[in-house]
Amino acid sequence: ATYEVVASPLGTDGGQGVVVVFTDVTEREQMGQIRRDFVANVSHELKTPLTALLGFIETLQGPARDDAAARGRFLEIMGREAKRMSRLVSDLLSLSRVEAEERVRPDARVDVSALLRSSVQTLRPLAAESGVEMTLEGADIAVHVLGDSDQLTQVFHNLIENGLKYGGTGGSLRVVLTTSERELAFRGPGVRIDVIDRGEGFDPVHIPRLTERFYRVDSHRSREMGGTGLGLAIVKHIVNRHRGRFRIESTPGQGSTFSVMLPVA
Ligand code: ADP
């Protein structure tokens, strides 16, 4: 622990001794370090696509000025890099919003079954494109929670998108909704959403760190897939804000399961 010591003379004439105040500033220092790391990470994440963009602009203004084929190819890469920056900025905004609101409990009645059906429908084309067979089970009847429908939709999108991205081509992705009368974590009725892929999985040693901002099992792979490294951090904060639980399980070579449990309203 680190202590900040403040000593002040007792009495206005200064002759009666001193009062010494010890304050544990370990936590404050850790927060400062986390903030500095975060700023460094964000700068790095933005700098990489920006450097690529500047490089291509220079090439297009100079050596590739009259090369139509190169121009088309470069513009395509530039578009991809710009989209990545835009995604990163939106994810940063989402993250700062959910962090700021974490203590405020959302209170609208939301049907998670309906949200899940619409998330799955929205992401069907992406599943088809990735050659993944996606199924939704158990979401036929309404299940209400107290929540924020935009934020819960973001949770489902992030988890399903990850399942499709890392779930492996030609694989399968199951999205399963289950309700229980007595979910242990809440001592009352709960609903659980499992997103189960048959992809490459990862060593469980990564699990405790996966919800940290910018933590990735394989950075190269994540960037190639257009990932920002913020998806699971956002999921964790939204689930916390809903008094829910978030669980990750994975077996290398067999796949992963990401589960969200929410108290039923
Ligand atoms: P990213 O934008 O990199 O996908 P996330 O926060 O969503 O960021 O995920 C963090 C990391 O967790 C990913 O980079 C990836 O290594 C790992 N990951 C997430 N979902 C899966 C999954 N379904 N299968 C395997 N690895 C996953």
Side-chain angles (χ1 to χ4, degrees):
T2 310
Y3 289 94
E4 188 175 77
V5 183
V6 180
S8 58
L10 252 189
T12 41
D13 59 359
Q16 308 295 315
V18 290
V19 175
V20 180
V21 182
F22 289 91
T23 317
D24 187 349
V25 291
T26 317
E27 198 177 326
R28 206 194 306 159
E29 288 200 342
Q30 276 169 352
M31 289 311 289
Q33 186 58 44
I34 289 171
R35 198 157 34 235
R36 283 191 293 277
D37 288 350
F38 181 60
V39 171
N41 276 328
V42 171
S43 313
H44 175 74
E45 297 287 337
L46 284 170
K47 183 107 183 130
T48 311
L50 206 50
T51 306
L53 280 173
L54 291 171
F56 283 117
I57 290 172
E58 221 167 79
T59 314
L60 285 171
Q61 284 171 332
R65 188 193 297 264
D66 303 314
D67 184 342
R71 194 160 55 227
R73 208 169 55 242
F74 290 172
L75 281 172
E76 196 191 308
I77 304 174
M78 289 167 75
R80 207 161 52 224
E81 295 298 327
K83 274 196 204 120
R84 180 205 300 286
M85 287 177 70
S86 157
R87 230 179 356 250
L88 182 61
V89 172
S90 337
D91 277 359
L92 284 168
L93 288 172
S94 299
L95 188 61
S96 84
R97 203 165 39 236
V98 293
E99 277 179 338
E101 289 175 346
E102 196 156 310
R103 280 167 216 281
V104 190
R105 303 302 179 184
D107 57 2
R109 263 172 75 83
V110 179
D111 175 5
V112 273
S113 272
L115 289 188
L116 215 48
R117 285 197 300 272
S118 96
S119 297
V120 165
Q121 197 174 1
T122 310
L123 291 166
R124 278 236 180 270
L126 184 65
E129 208 176 283
S130 327
V132 175
E133 197 201 329
M134 176 164 59
T135 55
L136 174 61
E137 299 156 44
D140 319 302
I141 44 161
V143 180
H144 289 99
V145 301
L146 290 182
D148 175 320
S149 61
D150 288 342
Q151 290 190 356
L152 290 174
T153 298
Q154 195 169 7
V155 165
F156 302 147
H157 270 232
N158 287 0
L159 296 181
I160 296 172
E161 255 184 2
N162 278 351
L164 295 172
K165 275 195 304 197
Y166 306 106
T169 354
S172 69
L173 186 74
R174 289 175 62 211
V175 182
V176 185
L177 183 148
T178 337
T179 51
S180 72
E181 278 308 309
R182 246 181 86 79
E183 176 66 51
L184 270 185
F186 315 126
R187 295 202 200 91
V191 57
R192 170 184 175 135
I193 297 98
D194 294 305
V195 179
I196 309 162
D197 70 57
R198 290 271 151 266
E200 67 228 51
F202 44 81
D203 190 322
V205 293
H206 295 288
I207 292 176
R209 300 202 57 193
L210 275 192
T211 54
E212 282 174 23
R213 306 142 161 183
F214 300 119
Y215 186 87
R216 294 148 161 134
V217 174
D218 177 347
S219 324
H220 178 72
R221 176 102 206 266
S222 158
R223 291 213 174 78
E224 206 171 280
M225 297 298 212
T228 62
L230 295 174
L232 293 180
I234 294 172
V235 167
K236 186 188 83 176
H237 283 286
I238 295 178
V239 173
N240 277 348
R241 194 178 169 229
H242 284 77
R243 293 183 197 275
R245 300 279 186 282
F246 181 44
R247 196 154 75 202
I248 306 174
E249 285 167 286
S250 190
T251 312
Q254 290 190 20
S256 319
T257 300
F258 291 77
S259 312
V260 172
M261 280 146 280
L262 298 167
V264 165

